[in-house]
Short mmCIF file of all heavy atoms in Angstrom, two decimals:
data_model
loop_
_atom_site.label_atom_id
_atom_site.label_comp_id
_atom_site.label_asym_id
_atom_site.label_seq_id
_atom_site.Cartn_x
_atom_site.Cartn_y
_atom_site.Cartn_z
N THR X 17 1.03 2.17 -0.09
CA THR X 17 2.10 2.77 0.69
C THR X 17 1.47 3.84 1.56
O THR X 17 0.84 4.76 1.06
CB THR X 17 3.16 3.37 -0.24
OG1 THR X 17 3.71 2.34 -1.07
CG2 THR X 17 4.28 4.03 0.56
N TRP X 18 1.58 3.70 2.90
CA TRP X 18 0.80 4.53 3.81
C TRP X 18 1.08 6.01 3.62
O TRP X 18 0.15 6.85 3.65
CB TRP X 18 1.06 4.09 5.26
CG TRP X 18 0.44 5.00 6.27
CD1 TRP X 18 1.02 5.58 7.35
CD2 TRP X 18 -0.94 5.44 6.35
NE1 TRP X 18 0.16 6.32 8.07
CE2 TRP X 18 -1.08 6.26 7.46
CE3 TRP X 18 -2.05 5.20 5.55
CZ2 TRP X 18 -2.27 6.88 7.83
CZ3 TRP X 18 -3.27 5.82 5.89
CH2 TRP X 18 -3.37 6.61 7.02
N SER X 19 2.31 6.42 3.45
CA SER X 19 2.61 7.82 3.29
C SER X 19 1.87 8.43 2.11
O SER X 19 1.41 9.60 2.14
CB SER X 19 4.10 8.06 3.16
OG SER X 19 4.61 7.34 2.03
N LYS X 20 1.74 7.66 1.02
CA LYS X 20 1.01 8.14 -0.16
C LYS X 20 -0.50 8.19 0.15
O LYS X 20 -1.16 9.18 -0.10
CB LYS X 20 1.25 7.19 -1.32
CG LYS X 20 2.65 7.18 -1.85
CD LYS X 20 2.87 8.25 -2.89
CE LYS X 20 4.20 8.10 -3.60
NZ LYS X 20 4.43 9.17 -4.57
N LEU X 21 -1.05 7.09 0.68
CA LEU X 21 -2.50 7.04 0.94
C LEU X 21 -2.90 8.14 1.88
O LEU X 21 -3.97 8.79 1.71
CB LEU X 21 -2.89 5.67 1.47
CG LEU X 21 -4.34 5.53 1.90
CD1 LEU X 21 -5.29 5.76 0.70
CD2 LEU X 21 -4.62 4.15 2.50
N ARG X 22 -2.12 8.38 2.91
CA ARG X 22 -2.46 9.38 3.91
C ARG X 22 -2.72 10.74 3.29
O ARG X 22 -3.70 11.42 3.59
CB ARG X 22 -1.35 9.46 4.96
CG ARG X 22 -1.69 10.21 6.24
CD ARG X 22 -0.49 10.26 7.17
NE ARG X 22 -0.84 10.72 8.49
CZ ARG X 22 -1.02 11.99 8.80
NH1 ARG X 22 -0.86 12.94 7.87
NH2 ARG X 22 -1.35 12.35 10.04
N ARG X 23 -1.82 11.10 2.38
CA ARG X 23 -1.96 12.39 1.71
C ARG X 23 -3.23 12.48 0.86
O ARG X 23 -3.97 13.46 0.87
CB ARG X 23 -0.71 12.66 0.84
CG ARG X 23 -0.79 13.94 0.05
CD ARG X 23 0.59 14.35 -0.46
NE ARG X 23 1.17 13.33 -1.31
CZ ARG X 23 0.94 13.26 -2.60
NH1 ARG X 23 0.10 14.07 -3.21
NH2 ARG X 23 1.54 12.31 -3.35
N TYR X 24 -3.50 11.38 0.11
CA TYR X 24 -4.70 11.39 -0.76
C TYR X 24 -5.97 11.36 0.06
O TYR X 24 -6.98 11.93 -0.36
CB TYR X 24 -4.64 10.19 -1.74
CG TYR X 24 -3.72 10.46 -2.90
CD1 TYR X 24 -2.39 10.04 -2.91
CD2 TYR X 24 -4.18 11.18 -4.02
CE1 TYR X 24 -1.55 10.31 -3.97
CE2 TYR X 24 -3.37 11.44 -5.09
CZ TYR X 24 -2.02 11.01 -5.07
OH TYR X 24 -1.21 11.29 -6.12
N LEU X 25 -5.97 10.70 1.22
CA LEU X 25 -7.18 10.73 2.08
C LEU X 25 -7.49 12.11 2.56
O LEU X 25 -8.64 12.53 2.59
CB LEU X 25 -6.96 9.77 3.25
CG LEU X 25 -6.98 8.27 2.96
CD1 LEU X 25 -6.58 7.51 4.23
CD2 LEU X 25 -8.32 7.82 2.46
N ILE X 26 -6.45 12.84 2.97
CA ILE X 26 -6.65 14.22 3.47
C ILE X 26 -7.14 15.13 2.35
O ILE X 26 -8.09 15.91 2.55
CB ILE X 26 -5.34 14.73 4.10
CG1 ILE X 26 -5.01 13.93 5.36
CG2 ILE X 26 -5.45 16.22 4.40
CD1 ILE X 26 -3.64 14.21 5.91
N GLU X 27 -6.57 15.01 1.16
CA GLU X 27 -7.02 15.81 0.02
C GLU X 27 -8.44 15.48 -0.38
O GLU X 27 -9.25 16.36 -0.67
CB GLU X 27 -6.08 15.60 -1.17
CG GLU X 27 -4.68 16.17 -0.94
CD GLU X 27 -3.74 15.83 -2.09
OE1 GLU X 27 -4.18 15.12 -3.04
OE2 GLU X 27 -2.57 16.26 -2.05
N ASP X 28 -8.79 14.19 -0.31
CA ASP X 28 -10.12 13.75 -0.69
C ASP X 28 -11.17 14.27 0.29
O ASP X 28 -12.25 14.68 -0.09
CB ASP X 28 -10.19 12.22 -0.80
CG ASP X 28 -11.54 11.72 -1.22
OD1 ASP X 28 -11.91 11.92 -2.39
OD2 ASP X 28 -12.27 11.13 -0.37
N GLU X 29 -10.84 14.23 1.56
CA GLU X 29 -11.78 14.68 2.58
C GLU X 29 -12.06 16.19 2.44
O GLU X 29 -13.15 16.67 2.79
CB GLU X 29 -11.22 14.38 3.99
CG GLU X 29 -12.15 14.63 5.11
CD GLU X 29 -13.41 13.77 5.10
OE1 GLU X 29 -13.34 12.66 4.53
OE2 GLU X 29 -14.42 14.17 5.71
N ALA X 30 -11.08 16.94 1.95
CA ALA X 30 -11.22 18.39 1.79
C ALA X 30 -12.10 18.75 0.59
O ALA X 30 -12.49 19.92 0.45
CB ALA X 30 -9.85 19.04 1.66
N ASN X 31 -12.42 17.78 -0.25
CA ASN X 31 -13.22 18.02 -1.45
C ASN X 31 -14.71 17.78 -1.12
O ASN X 31 -15.10 16.64 -0.93
CB ASN X 31 -12.80 17.10 -2.57
CG ASN X 31 -13.58 17.28 -3.84
OD1 ASN X 31 -14.50 18.11 -3.91
ND2 ASN X 31 -13.29 16.49 -4.86
N PRO X 32 -15.53 18.81 -1.07
CA PRO X 32 -16.93 18.65 -0.68
C PRO X 32 -17.75 17.85 -1.70
O PRO X 32 -18.83 17.38 -1.37
CB PRO X 32 -17.45 20.09 -0.57
CG PRO X 32 -16.55 20.90 -1.42
CD PRO X 32 -15.19 20.24 -1.34
N ASP X 33 -17.25 17.73 -2.91
CA ASP X 33 -17.96 17.02 -3.97
C ASP X 33 -17.60 15.53 -4.03
O ASP X 33 -18.15 14.78 -4.85
CB ASP X 33 -17.71 17.65 -5.33
CG ASP X 33 -18.19 19.11 -5.39
OD1 ASP X 33 -19.25 19.37 -4.79
OD2 ASP X 33 -17.51 19.95 -5.99
N SER X 34 -16.68 15.12 -3.18
CA SER X 34 -16.23 13.70 -3.25
C SER X 34 -17.23 12.75 -2.61
O SER X 34 -17.87 13.12 -1.63
CB SER X 34 -14.85 13.56 -2.58
OG SER X 34 -14.45 12.22 -2.55
N SER X 35 -17.27 11.55 -3.14
CA SER X 35 -18.04 10.46 -2.50
C SER X 35 -17.27 9.76 -1.40
O SER X 35 -17.80 8.86 -0.77
CB SER X 35 -18.49 9.45 -3.55
OG SER X 35 -19.29 10.04 -4.53
N ASN X 36 -15.99 10.15 -1.27
CA ASN X 36 -15.09 9.58 -0.25
C ASN X 36 -14.99 8.06 -0.40
O ASN X 36 -15.07 7.30 0.58
CB ASN X 36 -15.54 9.93 1.18
CG ASN X 36 -15.70 11.43 1.36
OD1 ASN X 36 -16.76 11.93 1.71
ND2 ASN X 36 -14.62 12.19 1.10
N ASP X 37 -14.82 7.61 -1.62
CA ASP X 37 -14.81 6.17 -1.94
C ASP X 37 -13.49 5.83 -2.66
O ASP X 37 -13.01 6.57 -3.48
CB ASP X 37 -16.01 5.85 -2.85
CG ASP X 37 -16.13 4.38 -3.16
OD1 ASP X 37 -16.69 3.65 -2.34
OD2 ASP X 37 -15.64 3.96 -4.23
N PHE X 38 -12.95 4.65 -2.34
CA PHE X 38 -11.69 4.24 -2.97
C PHE X 38 -11.85 4.09 -4.49
O PHE X 38 -11.08 4.66 -5.29
CB PHE X 38 -11.18 2.96 -2.37
CG PHE X 38 -10.46 3.15 -1.09
CD1 PHE X 38 -11.02 2.77 0.12
CD2 PHE X 38 -9.20 3.73 -1.05
CE1 PHE X 38 -10.38 2.96 1.32
CE2 PHE X 38 -8.53 3.92 0.15
CZ PHE X 38 -9.11 3.55 1.32
N GLY X 39 -12.89 3.38 -4.93
CA GLY X 39 -13.04 3.12 -6.36
C GLY X 39 -13.43 4.36 -7.15
O GLY X 39 -12.96 4.57 -8.24
N LYS X 40 -14.28 5.18 -6.56
CA LYS X 40 -14.80 6.37 -7.27
C LYS X 40 -13.89 7.59 -7.21
O LYS X 40 -13.90 8.42 -8.08
CB LYS X 40 -16.17 6.73 -6.71
CG LYS X 40 -17.24 5.71 -6.97
CD LYS X 40 -18.58 6.15 -6.33
CE LYS X 40 -19.67 5.10 -6.52
NZ LYS X 40 -20.91 5.47 -5.82
N ASN X 41 -13.09 7.66 -6.11
CA ASN X 41 -12.33 8.90 -5.89
C ASN X 41 -10.82 8.69 -5.71
O ASN X 41 -10.03 9.31 -6.42
CB ASN X 41 -12.90 9.62 -4.66
CG ASN X 41 -14.38 9.87 -4.76
OD1 ASN X 41 -15.19 9.26 -4.05
ND2 ASN X 41 -14.79 10.77 -5.65
N ILE X 42 -10.42 7.84 -4.78
CA ILE X 42 -9.00 7.72 -4.46
C ILE X 42 -8.20 7.16 -5.66
O ILE X 42 -7.17 7.71 -6.07
CB ILE X 42 -8.78 6.86 -3.19
CG1 ILE X 42 -9.49 7.48 -2.00
CG2 ILE X 42 -7.28 6.68 -2.94
CD1 ILE X 42 -8.94 8.84 -1.58
N ILE X 43 -8.68 6.03 -6.20
CA ILE X 43 -7.95 5.40 -7.32
C ILE X 43 -7.92 6.34 -8.52
O ILE X 43 -6.82 6.57 -9.10
CB ILE X 43 -8.58 4.04 -7.69
CG1 ILE X 43 -8.51 3.09 -6.50
CG2 ILE X 43 -7.88 3.46 -8.93
CD1 ILE X 43 -7.13 2.84 -5.95
N PRO X 44 -9.03 6.93 -8.94
CA PRO X 44 -8.93 7.89 -10.05
C PRO X 44 -8.00 9.09 -9.77
O PRO X 44 -7.30 9.59 -10.64
CB PRO X 44 -10.40 8.37 -10.25
CG PRO X 44 -11.21 7.22 -9.77
CD PRO X 44 -10.43 6.69 -8.59
N ALA X 45 -8.00 9.57 -8.52
CA ALA X 45 -7.13 10.70 -8.15
C ALA X 45 -5.66 10.30 -8.31
O ALA X 45 -4.84 11.08 -8.80
CB ALA X 45 -7.43 11.17 -6.75
N MET X 46 -5.31 9.10 -7.88
CA MET X 46 -3.95 8.64 -7.98
C MET X 46 -3.54 8.46 -9.42
O MET X 46 -2.40 8.81 -9.82
CB MET X 46 -3.76 7.35 -7.16
CG MET X 46 -3.94 7.50 -5.67
SD MET X 46 -3.69 6.00 -4.72
CE MET X 46 -1.96 6.15 -4.32
N LEU X 47 -4.43 7.90 -10.23
CA LEU X 47 -4.14 7.77 -11.66
C LEU X 47 -3.97 9.13 -12.30
O LEU X 47 -3.05 9.32 -13.13
CB LEU X 47 -5.27 6.98 -12.35
CG LEU X 47 -5.30 5.48 -12.11
CD1 LEU X 47 -6.60 4.89 -12.69
CD2 LEU X 47 -4.09 4.80 -12.77
N GLY X 48 -4.83 10.09 -11.92
CA GLY X 48 -4.76 11.44 -12.48
C GLY X 48 -3.47 12.14 -12.12
O GLY X 48 -3.02 13.02 -12.86
N ALA X 49 -2.88 11.75 -11.01
CA ALA X 49 -1.60 12.35 -10.55
C ALA X 49 -0.39 11.55 -11.02
O ALA X 49 0.74 11.82 -10.59
CB ALA X 49 -1.59 12.47 -9.02
N SER X 50 -0.66 10.58 -11.93
CA SER X 50 0.40 9.74 -12.52
C SER X 50 1.14 8.90 -11.48
O SER X 50 2.34 8.59 -11.64
CB SER X 50 1.43 10.60 -13.31
OG SER X 50 0.76 11.27 -14.35
N GLU X 51 0.47 8.54 -10.40
CA GLU X 51 1.05 7.59 -9.46
C GLU X 51 1.09 6.19 -10.12
O GLU X 51 0.28 5.89 -11.00
CB GLU X 51 0.20 7.52 -8.17
CG GLU X 51 0.13 8.79 -7.38
CD GLU X 51 1.38 9.07 -6.56
OE1 GLU X 51 2.38 8.29 -6.68
OE2 GLU X 51 1.35 10.05 -5.80
N LYS X 52 2.03 5.38 -9.65
CA LYS X 52 2.14 4.04 -10.23
C LYS X 52 1.19 3.11 -9.48
O LYS X 52 1.28 2.92 -8.27
CB LYS X 52 3.58 3.52 -10.09
CG LYS X 52 3.80 2.18 -10.80
CD LYS X 52 5.28 1.76 -10.74
CE LYS X 52 5.52 0.50 -11.57
NZ LYS X 52 6.96 0.11 -11.56
N LEU X 53 0.26 2.50 -10.24
CA LEU X 53 -0.70 1.56 -9.71
C LEU X 53 -0.50 0.21 -10.41
O LEU X 53 -0.42 0.16 -11.66
CB LEU X 53 -2.15 2.01 -9.89
CG LEU X 53 -2.69 2.97 -8.82
CD1 LEU X 53 -1.96 4.34 -8.89
CD2 LEU X 53 -4.20 3.18 -9.01
N MET X 54 -0.44 -0.86 -9.66
CA MET X 54 -0.23 -2.21 -10.22
C MET X 54 -1.44 -3.08 -9.97
O MET X 54 -2.13 -2.93 -8.95
CB MET X 54 1.02 -2.82 -9.61
CG MET X 54 2.33 -2.13 -9.95
SD MET X 54 2.70 -2.15 -11.71
CE MET X 54 2.95 -3.90 -12.02
N ALA X 55 -1.66 -4.02 -10.87
CA ALA X 55 -2.71 -5.03 -10.70
C ALA X 55 -2.06 -6.33 -10.24
O ALA X 55 -1.07 -6.76 -10.81
CB ALA X 55 -3.47 -5.26 -11.98
N TYR X 56 -2.62 -6.92 -9.19
CA TYR X 56 -2.16 -8.21 -8.72
C TYR X 56 -3.24 -9.25 -9.12
O TYR X 56 -4.37 -9.17 -8.69
CB TYR X 56 -1.98 -8.21 -7.18
CG TYR X 56 -1.78 -9.59 -6.60
CD1 TYR X 56 -0.52 -10.21 -6.69
CD2 TYR X 56 -2.82 -10.25 -5.94
CE1 TYR X 56 -0.32 -11.46 -6.17
CE2 TYR X 56 -2.64 -11.51 -5.41
CZ TYR X 56 -1.39 -12.13 -5.52
OH TYR X 56 -1.18 -13.38 -4.99
#
């Protein structure tokens, strides 16, 4: 959902320790924030 991803991208970019990677950073961040993630 673009509105969700947009916010997480901005937060991730502000983190100097991030690898800026979906698998390493964005997905774990969303899980850590209790966002709903589904497997297809």
Side-chain angles (χ1 to χ4, degrees):
T17 299
W18 172 232
S19 59
K20 293 273 189 181
L21 175 60
R22 192 182 191 281
R23 176 164 60 85
Y24 280 95
L25 289 173
I26 293 170
E27 291 175 359
D28 182 70
E29 187 65 24
N31 179 1
D33 298 323
S34 176
S35 301
N36 305 123
D37 183 84
F38 279 107
K40 294 177 182 176
N41 304 109
I42 301 296
I43 299 303
M46 295 182 92
L47 284 171
S50 300
E51 297 282 5
K52 187 174 186 179
L53 276 68
M54 295 296 295
Y56 170 77

